Every structure is written in C-alpha cells, then in structure tokens.
Amino acid sequence: MERRRQTRLSSVNRRAGQGQSLVFIALLLAFLTPFVFTIIEFSERQLEVARMEDALQQATRSAVQMFDYECLARNSRCINEEHAVQTARQTFARNLDTVLGLAEDPQTLAQRVTWRVLPQGGSCRFDNGQTLTFDQPVVCAEVRPTLTGFGLLGYAPYRPLITAAVTLDVLDR
C-alpha cells in the first residue's frame, strides 16, 4: 500500500514538473515579444532618420554644385540662389523615395525645407541650437519631417530635426 502511494506521488510530481517549463516559456514570451517589437520599431526609426539625413545631404550637395566656381574665384557674386534652391528641392523630393514611413507628400515636404545659400560663407544656425561657421560658400538646410515608424505597436508619429550643410569642394592645383 505504501509503495503504491509513493508511485502515485512521484508520477504526479513528475507531470507537474514537466508542465512548469511550458508556463515559464509562455510567461517569457509574453514579456519578450513586446521587447522585440520595440527594438524593431526603434531600429526602423533610426533607419528612417538616416535615410532622411542622406536625402537632405545629397540635395544640399546638388545645390552647391550649381555654384559657378570660376565666378567665385574672381570674388564675384554670380550665384543664382533661386536656381540652386530649386535644384535642391527637386533632388530632395526625388531622394525621398528611399524613405519609408514618411507621413507626408515628398513634394510638400521639399517645399517646407529651410534653405540658406551663403555665397561668401558665414554661419548656419539650426533650430537645435547648433551653429556651423564656414569661410567658403555653403548651402545649409533643415526640416522637421513627420515620420511614422514601422507601426507594429502603434507608436505616435515623430518629428526629428534633419539638418545638412555642404560647402564647395576644395580644389588643389
């Protein structure tokens, strides 16, 4: 009789022991899943900001390339600032095709960019308090796009400040 009782108790303990790991795994997954999705969301937001920075940097570079190097070498002011900004806007809108999670039309966003063309150099002051000073011609730009992220967890859209400043390439002869 005593032996049967021990056999029943050991089989009950053994079954309870096997089921406990499933409960532990279920609890672990319940806490781990939101953490993994948060990491995915954070990574996607970082990628969106990097692509936006790259698009603005390349557009600003295109605007700088519109400067007339020979005219600048003569210390003349023969820069068509309007044409340089228009080129930058078009390039920026085209480059926005690589940005996922953009919550607004690329053309509309390109119109909202603040462009500063400084043919004699000078200081670019951005909304984040950063100031960059140049002793050669420069084009500066800044914008606050509305980005949505990956959207798995329903985080709110965000508006990072994207800035760029590009000068003429220095030619060594």
Side-chain angles (χ1 to χ4, degrees), residues 16-149:
Q18 291 172 352
Q20 286 176 350
S21 63
L22 291 176
V23 172
F24 176 72
I25 290 172
L27 286 173
L28 182 64
L29 288 176
F31 290 105
L32 192 59
T33 301
F35 179 70
V36 169
F37 283 135
T38 300
I39 290 173
I40 291 170
E41 178 72 22
F42 178 76
S43 299
E44 181 63 26
R45 285 180 178 223
Q46 295 300 312
L47 183 61
E48 287 173 355
V49 169
R51 286 182 175 161
M52 184 64 68
E53 288 172 343
D54 184 55
L56 189 62
Q57 186 75 19
Q58 296 307 319
T60 308
R61 171 140 318 272
S62 295
V64 164
Q65 298 306 319
M66 300 304 298
F67 290 176
D68 183 352
Y69 285 75
E70 290 180 21
C71 191
L72 289 171
R74 293 190 305 266
N75 283 332
S76 299
R77 185 185 164 109
C78 47
I79 295 171
N80 186 342
E81 294 176 26
E82 201 171 297
H83 183 61
V85 169
Q86 185 61 29
T87 298
R89 277 191 186 124
Q90 290 170 352
T91 304
F92 184 57
R94 233 183 355 261
N95 289 345
L96 290 177
D97 290 338
T98 64
V99 179
L100 302 174
L102 188 59
E104 54 192 310
D105 178 61
Q107 295 296 331
T108 304
L109 180 59
Q111 293 298 321
R112 287 195 312 107
V113 175
T114 303
W115 302 95
R116 290 183 212 75
V117 179
L118 304 170
Q120 305 302 321
S123 295
C124 296
R125 289 179 189 85
F126 300 111
D127 285 346
N128 61 1
Q130 182 182 19
T131 301
L132 300 174
T133 304
F134 301 91
D135 60 354
Q136 55 193 2
V138 64
V139 175
C140 305
E142 70 179 331
V143 66
R144 275 197 192 276
T146 303
L147 301 170
T148 60

Side-chain angles (χ1 to χ4, degrees), residues 2-12 14-15:
E2 184 66 33
R3 188 172 199 169
R4 276 191 204 162
R5 190 171 170 192
Q6 286 179 346
T7 307
R8 274 194 229 145
L9 287 176
S10 66
S11 67
V12 169
R14 190 173 31 230
R15 278 187 260 148

